[in-house]
Amino acid sequence: MTRPSFDEMHATSTTVRAHYRTYDRWLAQQPRDMMRSRREEAEVIFRRVGITFAVYGDKDDGEGTERLIPFDLIPRIIPAHEWREMERGLKQRVTALNRFIHDVYHDQEILKAGIVPSEQVLHNAQFRPEMMGVTVPQDVYSHIAGIDIVRAANADGSGTYYVLEDNLRVPSGVSYMLEDRKMMMRLSPELFSEHRVAPVAHYPDLLLETLRSVAPGGVNDPTVVVLTPGMYNSAYFEHAFLAQQMGVELVEGKDLFVKDRFVFMRTTQGPKRVDVIYRRIDDDFLDPRVFRPDSTLGCAGLVEAYKAGNVTLSNAIGTGIADDKSIYPYVPRMIEFYLGEQPILQNVPTWQCREPAALQHVLAHLDELVVKEVHGAGGYGMLVGPAASRAEIAAFREHLLAHPANYIAQPTLSLSTCPTFVETGIAPRHIDLRPFVLSGTQVQMVPGGLTRVALKEGSLVVNSSQGGGTKDTWVLEDDPALVAPPSQSQSQSQSA
């Protein structure tokens, strides 16, 4: 029997959790028409500003390739004590992952110790032999990490946070975190006088500080650029947004060239040396001389300049080895190996289908499990067993039998729910959270992250490409009086 989801707002059907009580009283006073009007206003503003993402492939719904990510008016609220613990766990995890990437491309101590099987790394498509022995500033490889967090209910009604995924290559979504906050402050400014919500607007400043801190040695005033594949990329809005917010140039590969193992960008005043490239392009497309020769998105000679230590790439080439789903099960042991600490944040239990015993278990329980491609992303290439038809399960079984090493499986966690304003009123919808961790001379982050919400009733897939939306994420700067008696819920979230 499936355990009920953890409700972020309600402790029981009649009581509201302490950190939501002030908001709940406010929500009970809002006319439904007013909420609908605010949602429509948000959509108009987002469309005017151009906050869209691109969808690829054949679509028959008439919306074209540019879409808004739906924005939900009801915030996800995290109390201060929960955030402090989550922040500690995130910093611990990303520190260990950076140590792992450095080790993989240098002494490979964790492989020699048998903690992570060598074949899982050295035969992995994300392993880049070109990075062996390459020194990067401060031994930091993933300067910007997006760690996906979910919460599942325990038997006693409490909830536990789990890390679902590590995104260490080119994690996206932080622009929506920032724009969601601006929208909430515009639509409901009175809420921010009633809640001490930790700010997130300084993220671009922290990002620029992080990027400048990992510039090549001897560079006192580094030139930073954001490298984008161009306007047809699904996250182009974010690339342009972050460049504008940091006050740096947004460039494409054709704007850069390499001379004497230094990188320059073309400007109206002539060539200008580039010291740090925040790249939003996958490894394969960065340099046609080293990776894909047909790539027109990168810059020829870039890897040579990088290996010479004359330019920093954020994130580094080869970081994908640490966020591959086949490596994910080993992260808790990485934390123990490199840091000598117990993991603060737990992994979701995971079966690696490359192992015969695990494969047999997964095949026998396909209708209960979530099965993912180890290189998959965006909610594609996966099976959600409880929501799949017999035909879908049968077809997926064939893929699994043909290429078991390409898949992992996990129990179907019932992601926590948060009240969400949908067409029928206010109803619970499943959510996750992607905080963004910045690593340079120090590891730092803004309080919160991007909360993604599965807008389809019962759906566990929160990805925007699969119909998901976003919410503003509030981390409270102080905890409500947890000893106060629970209030009777007046929330409209009980209505359909």
Side-chain angles (χ1 to χ4, degrees):
M1 182 176 179
T2 303
R3 186 173 292 161
S5 300
F6 181 90
D7 189 313
E8 297 285 344
M9 183 171 177
H10 297 97
T12 70
S13 60
T14 58
T15 59
V16 174
R17 301 188 191 279
H19 55 285
Y20 261 104
R21 288 176 197 155
T22 300
Y23 179 80
D24 180 60
R25 286 191 293 270
W26 176 89
L27 183 61
Q29 298 168 4
Q30 306 308 304
R32 186 70 53 81
D33 289 346
M34 178 67 74
M35 295 288 287
R36 187 169 287 109
S37 174
R38 285 175 176 156
R39 184 177 65 183
E40 291 170 357
E41 182 181 350
E43 182 175 330
V44 168
I45 294 170
F46 279 153
R47 198 172 293 279
R48 184 185 305 145
V49 174
I51 305 175
T52 61
F53 72 101
V55 176
Y56 303 111
D58 295 327
K59 302 292 173 184
D60 57 4
D61 52 17
E63 287 192 55
T65 58
E66 289 294 321
R67 298 196 188 163
L68 292 178
I69 295 182
F71 167 70
D72 184 57
L73 297 168
I74 300 177
R76 189 254 184 91
I77 304 178
I78 301 173
H81 71 281
E82 285 187 8
W83 174 254
R84 285 192 294 269
E85 188 72 0
M86 192 189 303
E87 183 179 37
R88 286 180 57 236
L90 289 165
K91 289 181 176 180
Q92 178 196 60
R93 191 177 182 97
V94 170
T95 298
L97 285 164
N98 268 309
R99 293 277 294 274
F100 170 71
I101 303 170
H102 177 266
D103 188 18
V104 160
Y105 292 118
H106 289 83
D107 297 331
Q108 300 185 343
E109 295 292 344
I110 201 167
L111 306 187
K112 295 172 184 174
I115 304 296
V116 179
S118 295
E119 66 272 15
Q120 287 284 85
V121 172
L122 304 180
H123 298 158
N124 194 300
Q126 298 304 318
F127 176 70
R128 301 294 181 181
E130 298 85 357
M131 288 297 291
M132 286 298 301
V134 176
T135 300
V136 301
Q138 301 174 50
D139 295 337
V140 176
Y141 289 75
S142 183
H143 310 95
I144 303 100
I147 309 298
D148 291 347
I149 304 283
V150 298
R151 175 143 61 175
N154 300 319
D156 63 0
S158 63
T160 298
Y161 286 113
Y162 294 92
V163 174
L164 186 64
E165 238 174 63
D166 303 293
N167 299 283
L168 307 177
R169 290 174 248 183
V170 283
S172 62
V174 77
S175 60
Y176 303 108
M177 173 190 81
L178 297 170
E179 289 292 341
D180 285 355
R181 175 61 54 83
K182 285 166 60 178
M183 183 59 67
M184 282 296 290
M185 296 181 77
R186 174 179 180 139
L187 296 178
S188 305
E190 69 277 12
L191 283 170
F192 292 88
S193 63
E194 299 179 20
H195 297 80
R196 292 191 61 196
V197 181
V200 296
H202 58 297
Y203 176 86
D205 297 331
L206 291 185
L207 176 59
L208 182 59
E209 176 188 316
T210 297
L211 295 173
R212 289 173 62 89
S213 76
V214 294
V219 178
N220 297 321
D221 186 20
T223 296
V224 178
V225 300
V226 177
L227 175 61
T228 177
M231 65 183 297
Y232 297 107
N233 182 264
S234 61
Y236 180 74
F237 163 78
E238 177 158 295
H239 307 164
F241 174 86
L242 290 174
Q244 188 270 332
Q245 292 291 307
M246 289 191 289
V248 305
E249 293 294 332
L250 179 69
V251 301
E252 297 182 31
K254 62 187 178 184
D255 301 318
L256 303 176
F257 68 93
V258 175
K259 182 178 180 181
D260 298 329
R261 300 200 297 182
F262 287 89
V263 180
F264 296 86
M265 66 174 163
R266 298 177 174 88
T267 76
T268 53
Q269 286 79 40
K272 182 176 177 60
R273 179 179 162 182
V274 173
D275 305 299
V276 181
I277 299 174
Y278 176 23
R279 52 97 171 207
R280 299 299 295 260
I281 294 176
D282 290 336
D283 288 354
D284 285 338
F285 300 94
L286 279 173
D287 186 341
R289 292 182 186 169
V290 177
F291 301 117
R292 286 185 52 159
D294 61 340
S295 173
T296 59
L297 302 177
C299 172
L302 179 58
V303 171
E304 185 181 10
Y306 181 49
K307 286 186 172 183
N310 295 328
V311 68
T312 298
L313 293 176
S314 297
N315 289 336
I317 295 171
T319 55
I321 190 60
D323 73 6
D324 186 84
K325 293 181 180 65
S326 68
I327 300 298
Y328 162 90
Y330 301 102
V331 177
R333 297 189 69 188
M334 289 179 200
I335 293 170
E336 297 174 17
F337 184 78
Y338 294 116
L339 307 181
E341 300 169 358
Q342 289 299 307
I344 297 168
L345 291 170
Q346 299 183 43
N347 267 22
V348 177
T350 302
W351 292 272
Q352 299 198 68
C353 298
R354 58 185 288 275
E355 299 172 357
L359 176 62
Q360 292 307 310
H361 174 84
V362 172
L363 289 171
H365 297 86
L366 273 179
D367 59 337
E368 304 169 16
L369 302 173
V370 175
V371 189
K372 304 176 183 177
E373 283 186 318
V374 294
H375 305 315
Y380 294 104
M382 65 186 290
L383 174 80
V384 180
S389 67
R390 289 185 179 180
E392 289 169 334
I393 291 174
F396 208 92
R397 181 184 297 273
E398 297 304 314
H399 294 303
L400 198 50
L401 286 168
H403 303 286
N406 288 353
Y407 296 93
I408 63 167
Q410 296 170 332
T412 306
L413 294 182
S414 186
L415 309 187
S416 66
T417 63
C418 186
T420 300
F421 189 70
V422 295
E423 290 303 321
T424 56
I426 296 176
R429 292 292 184 267
H430 295 290
I431 58 172
D432 78 351
L433 176 68
R434 177 175 290 181
F436 296 89
V437 185
L438 300 174
S439 302
T441 52
Q442 57 184 320
V443 182
Q444 54 189 340
M445 53 198 301
V446 298
L450 177 66
T451 290
R452 300 182 298 179
V453 53
L455 294 174
K456 297 175 184 176
E457 184 175 2
S459 174
L460 296 172
V461 182
V462 298
N463 305 79
S464 56
S465 56
Q466 303 283 301
T470 66
K471 289 175 171 283
D472 191 13
T473 308
W474 293 4
V475 172
L476 301 184
E477 292 188 314
D478 51 8
D479 282 313
L482 298 179
V483 296
S487 65
Q488 292 296 311
S489 173
Q490 303 173 42
S491 174
Q492 294 176 345
S493 60
Q494 305 302 309
S495 62

